[in-house]
């Protein structure tokens, strides 16, 4: 029986990931809580090394480098520079952002950072898309490329990819009208009119409730590394399932603040969609 209080090494993390099917050539997007593992020898850098080891030279590691805030038409975000704007989603993502060779997409709130052969193709052109995570964005490309979403000690709550289907199906409810955003491009600062996320609770907001649905659809695997629960989700399957759920339970006054209904879950399990 492994000692849950022993320090966790990069090797142990890489082994744990391969145990749940992360392998050479994979594209992964990792959301993490460093503290959840217990003590990681080498800290955030070791966690990043473990991810790079797990996917090998032919794989690509991505992390969210989000810089969101209470922004909207009345309060546009501050100027965004991919080289200097900090991320606010944990120490590992912030360490990753500043690693040599890491590419970061150009988006004021939902940028993606990537390292590996697919990195440039994943992050390019984010600023030209209307929504932060919807069709055409790096987040949709993760689904297109059959990436694996790794939730390292954080559960399904922080899985940014859910925002993609939300923007696809419920654009008006989920996103503000276009907001002028100042972005640092290689040619200097330019203004882009982007539809940023607005505060919302709706059909797939309670992601904890989605977990059994994901499991029953074979889209989720779990292991334990140190004291962390590690979930691996299929990005494409997650996207499709979320679209189905949202279409089955569109936004209206009655369900606006509700969770995924029992009936909707049952219908998904019966393969109605
Ligand atoms: C918020 C969140 C980052 C907090 O997790 P956390 O483990 O407390 O914080 P971090 O991952 O930044 O790790 C730093 C903490 O790890 C701990 N730590 C430091 N070194 C460590 C080590 N070597 N080993 C283990 N833990 C360590 C410290 O407690 C540190 O906290 P401190 O800075 O207050 O001292 C996490 O819960 C989360 O939500 N992560 C995902 C975020 C995300 O992707 N959001 C997307 C939203 S759509």
């Amino acid at each position: 029986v492994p000692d849950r209080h022993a320090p966790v090494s990069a090797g142990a993390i890489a082994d744990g990931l391969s145990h749940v099917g992360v392998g050479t050539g994979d594209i992964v997007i990792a959301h993490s809580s460093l503290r959840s593992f217990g003590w990681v020898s080498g800290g955030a850098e070791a966690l990043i090394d473990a991810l790079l080891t797990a996917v090998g030279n032919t794989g690509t590691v991505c992390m969210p480098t989000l810089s969101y805030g209470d922004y909207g038409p009345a309060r546009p975000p501050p100027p965004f520079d991919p080289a200097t704007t900090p991320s606010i989603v944990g120490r590992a993502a912030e360490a990753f952002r500043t690693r040599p060779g890491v590419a970061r997409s150009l988006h004021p709130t939902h940028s993606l950072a990537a390292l590996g052969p697919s990195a440039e193709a994943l992050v390019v052109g984010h600023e030209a898309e209307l929504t932060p995570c919807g069709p055409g964005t790096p987040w949709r490309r993760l689904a297109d490329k059959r990436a694996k979403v790794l939730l390292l000690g954080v559960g399904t709550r922080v899985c940014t990819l859910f925002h993609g289907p939300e923007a696809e199906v419920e654009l008006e409810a989920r996103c503000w009208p276009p907001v002028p955003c100042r972005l640092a491009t290689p040619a200097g600062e330019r203004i882009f009119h982007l539809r940023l996320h607005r505060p919302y609770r709706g059909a797939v907001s309670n992601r904890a409730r989605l977990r059994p649905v994901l499991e029953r659809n074979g889209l989720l695997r779990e292991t334990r590394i140190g004291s962390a629960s590690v979930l691996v989700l299929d990005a494409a399957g997650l996207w499709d399932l979320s679209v189905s759920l949202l279409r089955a339970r569109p936004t209206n006054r009655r369900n606006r603040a509700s969770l995924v209904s029992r009936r909707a879950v049952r219908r998904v399990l019966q393969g109605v969609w």
Side-chain angles (χ1 to χ4, degrees), residues 30-44 64 66 68 88-92 110 153-154 157-160 163 207:
H31 300 265
S32 67
S33 157
L34 191 59
R35 188 199 305 246
S36 70
F37 287 93
W39 190 256
V40 177
S41 318
L66 313 189
Y68 56 84
I88 56 166
V89 283
R91 197 175 281 191
H110 285 75
V154 290
R157 183 181 51 85
V158 302
C159 179
T160 304
H163 290 315
R207 296 161 185 177

Side-chain angles (χ1 to χ4, degrees), residues 75-231:
R75 193 165 174 255
F80 174 85
D81 183 341
T84 56
T85 302
S87 63
I88 56 166
V89 283
R91 197 175 281 191
E94 185 58 4
F96 185 66
R97 177 181 77 76
T98 52
R99 273 220 177 181
V102 168
R104 187 185 191 188
S105 70
L106 193 50
H107 194 279
T109 57
H110 285 75
S111 64
L112 181 84
L115 182 61
S118 300
E120 284 297 337
L122 280 166
V123 305
V124 72
H126 200 170
E127 70 281 8
E129 301 304 328
L130 196 58
T131 66
C133 309
T137 67
W139 298 94
R140 173 62 229 185
R141 288 182 207 138
L142 289 170
D144 291 339
K145 290 177 179 286
R146 304 214 72 87
K148 290 170 179 162
V149 181
L150 310 182
L151 301 169
L152 308 174
V154 290
T156 47
R157 183 181 51 85
V158 302
C159 179
T160 304
L161 210 82
F162 281 118
H163 290 315
E166 290 165 0
E168 181 178 329
V169 179
E170 300 191 324
L171 176 65
E172 298 306 324
R174 304 282 177 162
C175 296
W176 292 111
V179 176
C181 300
R182 295 161 62 189
L183 307 183
T185 75
E189 188 177 289
R190 283 179 49 200
I191 293 183
F192 292 78
H193 291 85
L194 305 175
R195 301 198 61 169
L196 305 179
H197 284 156
R198 64 198 299 175
Y200 180 84
R201 282 190 65 77
V204 296
S205 293
N206 187 340
R207 296 161 185 177
R209 185 101 178 251
L210 275 182
R211 185 177 159 152
V213 187
L214 294 166
E215 249 163 332
R216 292 286 289 273
N217 282 269
L219 300 174
L220 181 148
R221 298 178 72 178
E222 179 171 21
T223 189
R224 193 160 278 280
I225 303 177
S227 52
S229 152
V230 168
L231 307 180

